[in-house]
Amino acid sequence: MAVASTAVAAGVEQPQGTALRLAQSERRVSLDIPAGDLTHALKTLADQTGADLVYRPEQVEGLKTRGVKGEYAPKDAIEKLLEGTALQLSTNAAGALLIAEPKRSGAAQRAGDAATTSGVQAESQSTHADGEVSEIVVTAHRSRAATKTDAPLIETPQSVSIITSKQIEAQGASSMEAVLQYSASIHSADAGTRNSGTVGTTFVMRGFASSGSLYINGSRFPINTINGPEEPYFYERVEVLKGPASVLYGQAAPGGIINMVTKRPTDEPLRELELQGGSWNRKQVNGDFAGRTEDGTWGYRVTGIARDSDTMVDYVMDDRRAVSGVLEWQPSDATVVSLLTTYRESDTLYNLGSPLEGTLLPNPAGLGRIPRTRYLGEPEDTFFETDRTTIGLQVEHRFNDTWKLLSNSLWFDSTVDYGYVGVASFTNPPDYRRANSSGRMRVDAEDGISIDNQLQGDIELGRFEHTLLVGLDYSDRSFNRVDSALVLQPKDVYAPVYGNPFTRNPATRSTEAATQTGVYFQDQIKYDDRWIVMLGARRDHVNEKSASSTGATSQLKNDVLTYRAGLVYLLDNGLAPYASYAESFQPAFGRDVNGRPFDPLTGEQYEVGLKYEPKGYNALVTVALFELTQRNVLRTDLSNFGFLQQTGEARARGIELEASASLSRGLDLVAGYSYTDALVTKSNAGDQGLRFAALPRNRASLWAHYSVADGWAKGLSFGAGVRYVDDSLSTRGRFFVPSYTVADATLGYWLTRSLELKLIVNNITDKEYLAACQFNCAYGTERNFVAAAKYTW
């Protein structure tokens, strides 16, 4: 029995279908609901199951039910209550339950498809010109990423952020960086014009880089972060588990993981085409098609995009072609088999940014500021081309009311062919005009497979309810690189001349092969529907080998134990204080001066917080305080040139606040704030006690979206957001990079039942700012817009 807010939103219009958000747990519940008024019966069921319930009162007004008595899963109980009425129960793209009329219009289908995660409630509506309403969903109440059991977020003793597909659509996010920019404690490591969203996906979470922490449908994605862009249009939600996650996922960065959940088949036919045009000669077409056979046995979904676009930076393009396909087979009520595939190719240039002098710092020669559109590579001789394929297989089978099995597999193959040139420091002696150029030509090829088998048991023992999870996972990955350095003449950064001849050094070849086998156990214990205790443990065996054409070889074997524990207390008023402890690990290649293999990097986190689901409202607020420590950090061995030693330690302390809510009819809010104090606590390099570079301490954001439901402006929707990023330190020289505030806005209008027009504007004030300064500086993106026309039938 999931504990969640029970929200009966009287007077909230919905399109011929009522979104019913129930605990997606299939655990049977003892019910005793007498025959009588259907409205009262549905409210009683919500009270007895802890279900989230939103419906149009007039849809069930005056209807009667025969009632239900006995032990039922929530879905079965609702079907019993609806017997004898014209209403039907179905599921949408995300598996959320939906009460609907026997025949649904295309608009109703769109509203059903708007729900993007089990436990997600409709929060606001954008109204079509003919008066129909389509939901905008921004609040999620459940997540599989945090526990692998689809537990309610309020019962999860760790901070979790979920961004639904409708929030992504409402904000016009076209990269993973844009998807997460309104979330707390997450910062793009390649922010701004330095490859943000074009060559890879790299984030800093709670102060630590998230390398190797990207997942799709619960399976680890290619570890190489320079692997091309992700396509938010393919995903029904993005889940962010903050803090160590090794008990469930094995090796992972301490800051957390990001899980992208693919869009799934819909019960009703879905046909959608969207044309986009905008700044930088952007031309894009999106398509989304889904449906099922009449008997419901087979379902499909095909989603694709094609984009031709330039970017703010001269010569740098952002061209993409991608398609995602899902085929689902449900031979019985107990078994579901899903085949999930993607293919993606992209073409861009690798941009290394501009020197600090002339961007962050004044040019000592008085030459002024380097333009934010300047590209300092070689446009004719460099490239960045990616080609990636994934095939996933998920099999879920329920043996009985207690036990079910989930097998989750992913195979991937990726090739990145790229050559890049960039500038670093100015020439010596410096004239602060000519900067030294260098570059590389590389081909990275990576493939692998991962398999995660999970057995879940829901067991009731008196006043205790146990959700047991036992898992065995295995991954096998290989990585091959061909790499050669380029030697070039210096480049004039104020008047660059392209076509600079270069010398290409002989190529080196390197290989890596890694396997990981893990067995894990987790028990979520609920006592008296008040106390929730979470306990977890895992043992991993990691075997990694590397070799190079230079003759260098390395091998490591690690056996690692990690643990997790948490406690939640549920109050009647919707408050839930919690506390938790979690661990992580990452293998470390190499040996010290004595030939001893390095130990894994380890992370441990203490977190306390408060979650709030106010009764009668579709809202979720989370406040979290954390201390996260990473140990065994590799540092230079000052006594032995060319060697490393594990003497480093880093610590991040912080506070997070995230809230999403529907405050009134048609109004949705998403707010976030984070403060992160990240320091080097142990080091032999003279940086002990210094804060992390390229990490803002404070981040704050607010997004609001409103849909006009009636009156002369019916069909109109608009949204606006503001993002504040505190100052940070440059990696080179440790200069302060100024803080900045950026505003975004959207405007939409349904011309007809099927045609929506939309305008998305980012950085509406055209603020010029530096997004990050690592070894070079990257400007933030200038004002840009996307105009879109979407047709659904």
Side-chain angles (χ1 to χ4, degrees), residues 587-611:
F589 260 120
R591 297 174 182 268
D592 62 18
V593 68
N594 298 314
R596 187 176 68 89
F598 292 129
D599 293 326
L601 279 68
T602 62
E604 66 173 14
Q605 174 180 273
Y606 295 90
E607 180 177 333
V608 295
L610 181 68
K611 300 186 180 185

Side-chain angles (χ1 to χ4, degrees), residues 173-179 196-203 214-216 221-222 224-235 238 258 260 305 307 318 320 322 342 344 346 386 388 390:
S174 59
S175 68
M176 289 303 296
E177 285 75 8
V179 168
S196 179
T198 56
V199 306
T201 303
T202 308
F203 291 95
L214 199 63
Y215 289 73
I216 180 169
F221 227 26
N224 183 20
T225 56
I226 305 175
N227 203 265
E230 301 303 326
E231 299 300 340
Y233 188 67
F234 288 175
Y235 303 118
V238 177
I258 300 170
M260 304 172 295
I305 77 153
R307 178 192 299 175
D318 182 15
R320 310 181 191 183
T342 65
R344 189 220 62 214
S346 64
T386 68
R388 186 174 73 194
T390 68

Side-chain angles (χ1 to χ4, degrees), residues 696-708:
R697 280 182 171 170
N698 292 279
R699 289 176 56 89
S701 61
L702 176 64
W703 170 265
H705 188 276
Y706 183 71
S707 301
V708 181

Side-chain angles (χ1 to χ4, degrees), residues 669-721:
L669 294 177
V670 176
Y673 169 77
S674 61
Y675 171 82
T676 307
D677 181 24
L679 304 174
V680 178
T681 50
K682 291 183 181 179
S683 177
N684 61 354
D687 56 351
Q688 184 169 327
L690 298 181
R691 60 181 282 194
F692 286 9
L695 177 67
R697 280 182 171 170
N698 292 279
R699 289 176 56 89
S701 61
L702 176 64
W703 170 265
H705 188 276
Y706 183 71
S707 301
V708 181
D710 50 35
W712 65 269
K714 182 183 296 184
L716 182 68
S717 65
F718 50 90

Side-chain angles (χ1 to χ4, degrees), residues 348-363:
T348 186
L349 293 180
Y350 198 107
N351 179 31
L352 293 179
S354 300
L356 273 65
E357 297 85 357
T359 54
L360 176 63
L361 305 175
N363 185 294

